[in-house]
Amino acid sequence: MRAGALASALCAAALLGGCTTSTAIDRGGANPVAGWNAGTRALAANSWLYAQLAINAYEDHEAFILPGDVVQRTPTLGNDDIGYAYVIFDRFDGDELVETIIAYRGTEPGFDDFVLGSVLGGHHDRGLATAMAVYEQMQAPQYAQTSLSLTGHSLGGGVAMEVSEQPLGEDGEGRARIVAFNSAPRFGALDSETDRLSIVERGDWLGFLRQFGNRPSEAYSLDCQPGFSPGRDHSMRDLAECLTWIAAYDDPEAGLSLAQNPLIGRPVSQTSPERPRVPAEIGDGVPINPHSNDEDIAYRLRQRLTASPVLFPWYRSRVGWRVHVDRLEGDGRLSAYWVLNGVEQSRIVLTCEEPSSIESCIDLIVSGGEAMVVDFYSRPER
Ligand SMILES: [Ca+2]
């Protein structure tokens, strides 16, 4: 008996209301490229980045190198007494913060994690508190155009789903977009207004439990790994690689991610040898994002940042610092400000008319940044 048929039969036997299955999106369909139909490619384009963030929330050897416009707010995640952990990412479009994403970390299957974290709702309550705090922060006018999304794998995906059962604001407003992967089942009421996307690998062992939960508005299954292998099919890394690969047939950003992550391989279930297009040149991720309206200044700034023994480690580790250095029109002055996680930390205006004095102005700006970063990471309350 096939896995789906077995689960459906058990579901029917359990005589529970709300039994749910995921739509098998990779079967049949139109306009195939390398065997993946248009619907599957669209699904991958909408989810590959969240899949990478869900795996990066584990902070282990499976982490992806993220696109340079996605910045992790803090260098490490917390891990509290019941194993609750999350990471906040900010996605920029140029200078604009367009999206904040909370990635709830899943846990390995085990009695404590499920009982304390999931069944007794410990992770749910803390996940909701995190999302409400971020939502509250985002009510400031500068975040008017910023959207909030929640993602996660396994228990982390279940937490994201459960958090979405209620509004995040005290006024009853506030909904986040949810993208969950191989998620733990949820039993609460899921309203129809919230955008919830659930993606699962067919064969994932949690699929059996999900049969008894409530179905999100969009639930799809893929068979990136052929056949049924409950442990293997639960892997987030495999699913994230598969979605990134499929997305890259249409989405240049996903193609860039393939180039930045050379370990991403062709999904085992893809029989076609056709590869997505990968750009020849890739940029570094820039966790300390330098911005300037002047190419020469941008070049010197980047040189100075990468030469800084204080800032260079952060330059590579995707924390949320940005520095803007702009030439003001006409009078040779430079305006410079440092931003942490979208919040301005300091601002100065310097007069730098001679080419030789630009170098010393940039030195001053970066030295100021070094002092600020050292101070920030030595604060006991952080
Ligand atoms: Ca499978």
Side-chain angles (χ1 to χ4, degrees):
M1 186 184 281
R2 288 191 304 108
L6 171 66
S8 297
L10 288 167
C11 183
L15 296 174
L16 288 174
C19 288
T20 175
T21 53
S22 297
T23 306
I25 196 168
D26 52 343
R27 297 280 165 85
N31 186 24
V33 174
W36 304 108
N37 66 48
T40 309
R41 299 199 308 282
L43 179 75
N46 280 331
S47 63
W48 67 270
L49 180 61
Y50 301 96
Q52 292 193 0
L53 301 184
I55 193 89
N56 279 34
Y58 286 93
E59 288 197 327
D60 62 12
H61 64 284
E62 293 191 319
F64 288 90
I65 295 171
L66 297 177
D69 56 2
V70 177
V71 179
Q72 184 174 324
R73 282 200 188 180
T74 51
T76 54
L77 78 169
N79 196 3
D80 72 12
D81 53 329
I82 57 168
Y84 169 68
Y86 64 94
V87 183
I88 300 175
F89 297 95
D90 289 314
R91 184 169 67 81
F92 292 86
D93 180 3
D95 294 353
E96 294 293 313
L97 176 63
V98 290
E99 185 178 15
T100 290
I101 303 140
I102 303 172
Y104 296 109
R105 193 192 64 184
T107 51
E108 294 302 317
F111 178 83
D112 287 350
D113 294 336
F114 265 99
V115 174
L116 294 179
S118 192
V119 177
L120 296 181
H123 286 203
H124 162 242
D125 291 347
R126 294 184 193 189
L128 180 62
T130 302
M132 290 180 80
V134 171
Y135 178 80
E136 163 108 36
Q137 209 178 50
M138 289 173 67
Q139 298 318 296
Q142 67 264 37
Y143 300 114
Q145 302 302 317
T146 308
S147 62
L148 177 62
S149 302
L150 313 179
T151 191
H153 164 246
S154 189
L155 176 57
V159 170
M161 283 287 177
E162 196 151 323
V163 167
S164 75
E165 287 168 17
Q166 49 208 295
L168 300 177
E170 286 175 0
D171 54 0
E173 297 293 314
R175 300 278 171 187
R177 182 187 181 211
I178 314 299
V179 188
F181 303 93
N182 287 344
S183 67
R186 300 318 325 166
F187 303 99
L190 297 175
D191 66 83
S192 57
E193 293 144 43
T194 303
D195 180 2
R196 294 184 189 86
L197 178 59
S198 166
I199 301 177
V200 303
E201 166 69 29
R202 276 199 289 285
D204 164 34
W205 73 274
L206 280 178
F208 171 69
L209 293 176
R210 276 193 301 270
Q211 296 282 331
F212 304 111
N214 280 333
R215 191 178 194 275
S217 43
E218 290 191 90
Y220 298 106
S221 74
L222 293 171
D223 202 24
C224 295
Q225 309 291 320
F228 177 74
S229 174
R232 179 206 64 187
D233 287 345
H234 189 60
S235 160
M236 186 64 232
R237 173 76 198 195
D238 286 345
L239 184 54
E241 285 197 14
C242 180
L243 291 168
T244 306
W245 178 280
I246 296 170
Y249 286 105
D250 297 327
D251 178 357
E253 287 291 319
L256 190 61
S257 182
L258 281 191
Q260 287 175 313
N261 292 277
L263 292 179
I264 297 178
R266 189 174 73 187
V268 180
S269 58
Q270 180 182 317
T271 51
S272 161
E274 185 182 346
R275 296 178 61 87
R277 255 200 301 276
V278 172
E281 288 197 12
I282 54 172
D284 284 334
V286 280
I288 294 180
N289 290 278
H291 294 270
S292 181
N293 61 0
D294 181 296
E295 261 183 47
D296 178 54
I297 289 174
Y299 175 78
R300 290 170 191 238
L301 188 59
R302 199 174 291 268
Q303 295 287 99
R304 180 64 180 79
L305 283 171
T306 52
S308 163
V310 173
L311 298 179
F312 185 66
W314 305 110
Y315 194 84
R316 291 283 173 198
S317 69
R318 303 184 175 283
V319 292
W321 291 93
R322 289 185 292 141
V323 58
H324 295 246
V325 181
D326 292 322
R327 194 187 281 282
L328 299 177
E329 281 196 13
D331 58 5
R333 290 182 307 155
L334 293 185
S335 150
Y337 60 97
W338 281 86
V339 176
L340 176 62
N341 303 330
V343 179
E344 187 174 318
Q345 304 291 312
S346 72
R347 182 183 286 262
I348 50 172
V349 175
L350 300 163
T351 302
C352 312
E353 282 176 276
E354 303 299 322
S356 61
S357 74
I358 287 181
E359 200 71 39
S360 54
C361 279
I362 287 174
D363 199 57
L364 202 64
I365 292 161
V366 174
S367 303
E370 288 172 340
M372 206 164 44
V373 167
V374 167
D375 175 60
F376 179 79
Y377 288 110
S378 63
R379 286 179 206 164
E381 74 276 11
R382 196 178 63 78

